[in-house]
């Protein structure tokens, strides 16, 4: 996985989930900048500041809270119309933090945001981090699977320049849950940051090479790795590539299907396998200029979702985002889905919502 990301030397571990993997990114970034923290703690360091986009995963906020930065010191950077981090605004935020006497140390870019599936411009963000001396963590928990496809890996251009990566095979690759990996290009840093002497566990005179004792790298105990090894052996690199390409093909097929149907409207063109869209029942069509239209449209997705659940027809999530009313988010990750399934999704939404 590290070589697929593009790291020439690397270290890493399996984590309990993407949230913990993202926390490792913040933890290592802070330790590398301030190695004294391991003994003296955070009290004498001043105000540490990290940056991520407004559409980034909530685990970034939880990490800031848990590691003692405080949620107010995670600066949320604006995104463009397609949900990608605004690099110019990132530069402004860093300059403002330094002006205020804070100590910037980390930028987290997202490769596949949870809702829109947007890929932040990692290469451009890496330029900023290099110029400012900041750690770059790439949260590719959702969208990292695209790296396995020569057709789609360009979406993560520049990820090899990151200092660390979160990648969840249980998401886009559809490995059994939970399966999350944290990778870093800084060899040995995980051990330096997290190791603690425990002579009842970490004896140096064992009969085997103790570099395989991964517990010293972590902030917890052992990790399960067998499930992804077996999953990868079963499918193979080419099989995983076909899996990714098929999901993107089905994403395109569903997008074109609803584009041609009355009542469906895309929120934006998909970047990953998230298709975000509104459905207007006949009673709302032609009424977008009415004052109550946003409020009425906002109520459509929850009503249809209720009917989905009660009929057992299917399960598609919905949510609002910023000023947008509730919209549906069809997320494809199972390679068993086919064109007939895509038509079924669209047909069922029409059936469940036409009388609203």
């Amino acid at each position: 996985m590290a070589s697929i990301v593009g790291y020439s030397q690397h270290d890493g571990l399996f984590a309990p989930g993407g949230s913990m993997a993202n926390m490792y990114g913040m933890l290592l970034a802070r330790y590398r900048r301030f190695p004294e923290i391991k003994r003296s703690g955070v009290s004498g360091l001043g105000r540490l500041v990290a940056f991520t986009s407004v559409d980034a995963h909530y685990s970034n906020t939880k990490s800031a809270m848990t590691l003692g930065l405080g949620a107010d010191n995670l600066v949320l950077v604006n995104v463009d119309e397609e949900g990608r981090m605004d690099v110019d605004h990132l530069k402004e935020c860093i300059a403002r933090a330094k002006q205020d006497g804070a100590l910037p140390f980390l930028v987290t870019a997202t490769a596949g945001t949870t809702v829109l599936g947007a890929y932040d411009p990692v290469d451009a963000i890496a330029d900023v981090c290099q110029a400012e001396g900041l750690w770059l963590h790439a949260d590719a928990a959702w969208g990292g699977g695209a790296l396995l496809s020569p057709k789609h890996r360009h979406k993560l251009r520049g990820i090899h320049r990151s200092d660390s990566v979160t990648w969840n095979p249980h998401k886009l690759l559809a490995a059994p849950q939970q399966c999350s990996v944290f990778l870093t290009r800084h060899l040995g840093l995980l051990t330096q940051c997290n190791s603690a002497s425990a002579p009842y566990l970490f004896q140096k005179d064992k009969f085997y090479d103790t570099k395989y004792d991964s517990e010293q790298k972590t902030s917890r105990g052992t990790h399960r790795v067998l499930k992804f090894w077996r999953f990868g052996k079963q499918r193979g690199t080419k099989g995983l590539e076909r899996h990714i390409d098929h999901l993107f093909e089905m994403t395109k097929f569903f997008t074109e299907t609803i584009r041609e149907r009355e009542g469906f409207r895309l929120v934006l063109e998909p970047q990953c396998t998230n298709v975000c869209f509104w459905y207007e029942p006949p009673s709302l069509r032609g009424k977008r200029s009415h004052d109550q239209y946003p409020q009425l449209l906002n109520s459509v997705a929850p009503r249809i979702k209720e009917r989905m659940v009660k009929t057992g027809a299917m399960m598609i999530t919905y949510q609002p985002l910023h000023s947008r009313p509730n919209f549906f988010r069809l997320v494809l990750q199972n390679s068993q889905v086919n064109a007939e399934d895509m038509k079924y999704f669209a047909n069922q939404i029409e059936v469940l919502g036409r009388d609203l």
Side-chain angles (χ1 to χ4, degrees):
M1 293 180 77
S3 64
I4 290 168
V5 167
Y7 290 160
S8 55
Q9 63 172 22
H10 59 270
D11 206 347
L13 49 83
F14 279 77
S19 293
M20 183 61 77
N22 282 338
M23 190 180 295
Y24 276 123
M26 186 174 285
L27 187 66
L28 257 65
R30 188 177 66 176
Y31 173 78
R32 188 163 186 259
R33 179 78 177 270
F34 306 102
E36 65 272 20
I37 195 173
K38 192 170 176 180
R39 292 192 172 275
S40 61
V42 299
S43 58
L45 294 181
R47 181 182 162 220
L48 307 186
V49 175
F51 306 84
T52 194
S53 87
V54 293
D55 285 355
H57 194 259
Y58 71 90
S59 61
N60 292 284
T61 302
K62 291 183 75 171
S63 296
M65 292 159 49
T66 304
L67 297 180
L69 268 71
D72 289 348
N73 292 317
L74 178 69
V75 177
L76 301 181
V77 181
N78 292 340
V79 294
D80 63 18
E81 291 181 354
E82 296 183 346
R84 301 173 301 190
M85 185 187 287
D86 181 336
V87 177
D88 288 333
H89 189 235
L90 171 64
K91 294 175 184 176
E92 292 173 18
C93 290
I94 294 170
R96 192 178 306 120
K98 291 165 74 174
Q99 218 171 28
D100 292 344
L103 298 170
F105 72 103
L106 165 71
V107 178
T108 296
T110 310
T113 56
T114 306
V115 177
L116 299 179
Y119 286 87
D120 287 345
V122 178
D123 218 15
I125 295 169
D127 288 341
V128 176
C129 290
Q130 185 174 336
E132 296 285 350
L134 306 180
W135 182 286
L136 173 57
H137 177 68
D139 177 7
W142 170 235
L147 288 167
L148 285 160
S149 167
K151 284 184 185 177
H152 299 288
R153 66 173 291 124
H154 68 275
K155 297 173 185 289
L156 297 99
R157 184 176 292 114
I159 196 169
H160 66 285
R161 300 176 62 192
S162 65
D163 293 282
S164 56
V165 172
T166 293
W167 184 359
N168 286 8
H170 73 246
K171 293 190 174 176
L172 199 54
L173 295 181
Q177 290 193 341
Q178 288 277 23
C179 189
S180 180
V181 172
F182 174 79
L183 303 166
T184 177
R185 63 182 172 88
H186 298 281
L187 195 61
L189 195 63
L190 275 166
T191 301
Q192 294 168 31
C193 178
N194 292 311
S195 63
S197 178
Y200 52 86
L201 280 179
F202 307 122
Q203 303 92 340
K204 300 298 182 186
D205 54 355
K206 291 179 179 176
F207 67 91
Y208 58 83
D209 189 343
T210 56
K211 74 181 180 185
Y212 296 111
D213 287 339
S214 63
E215 289 89 343
Q216 289 279 57
K217 298 179 183 180
T218 76
S219 57
R220 50 190 294 275
T222 54
H223 300 270
R224 298 187 179 98
V225 302
L226 184 60
K227 67 172 72 173
F228 189 54
W229 181 84
R230 291 185 67 179
F231 182 79
K233 283 298 213 180
Q234 177 202 23
R235 294 204 171 191
T237 306
K238 286 294 181 185
L240 290 171
E241 178 186 334
R242 287 192 296 270
H243 165 85
I244 293 296
D245 288 346
H246 176 73
L247 293 179
F248 276 95
E249 286 167 13
M250 288 298 99
T251 301
K252 183 178 179 181
F253 183 88
F254 183 77
T255 302
E256 295 306 317
T257 297
I258 63 171
R259 199 194 305 276
E260 297 169 2
R261 292 199 184 202
E262 190 177 5
F264 288 87
R265 181 159 55 101
L266 285 170
V267 175
L268 78 176
E269 291 294 326
Q271 297 175 49
C272 195
T273 63
N274 313 39
V275 188
C276 299
F277 61 95
W278 289 285
Y279 174 71
E280 292 178 334
S283 63
L284 282 183
R285 292 173 198 171
K287 298 181 180 178
R288 292 180 197 171
S289 60
H290 289 203
D291 291 342
Q292 288 190 321
Y293 175 83
Q295 180 182 346
L296 292 170
L297 182 63
N298 192 61
S299 68
V300 171
R303 292 285 300 279
I304 293 178
K305 177 63 179 283
E306 178 185 354
R307 293 176 175 186
M308 283 183 200
V309 174
K310 290 182 175 178
T311 61
M314 57 189 179
M315 290 284 279
I316 298 177
T317 62
Y318 72 87
Q319 64 282 305
L321 186 68
H322 307 312
S323 60
R324 298 178 175 105
N326 279 318
F327 55 85
F328 287 109
R329 176 173 63 103
L330 176 68
V331 181
L332 301 180
Q333 66 181 125
N334 186 336
S335 57
Q336 300 303 309
V337 295
N338 56 38
E340 291 306 309
D341 295 323
M342 301 300 103
K343 294 174 188 174
Y344 174 83
F345 291 144
N347 291 340
Q348 282 296 309
I349 287 175
E350 288 179 331
V351 168
L352 297 172
R354 63 168 59 121
D355 67 335
L356 293 179

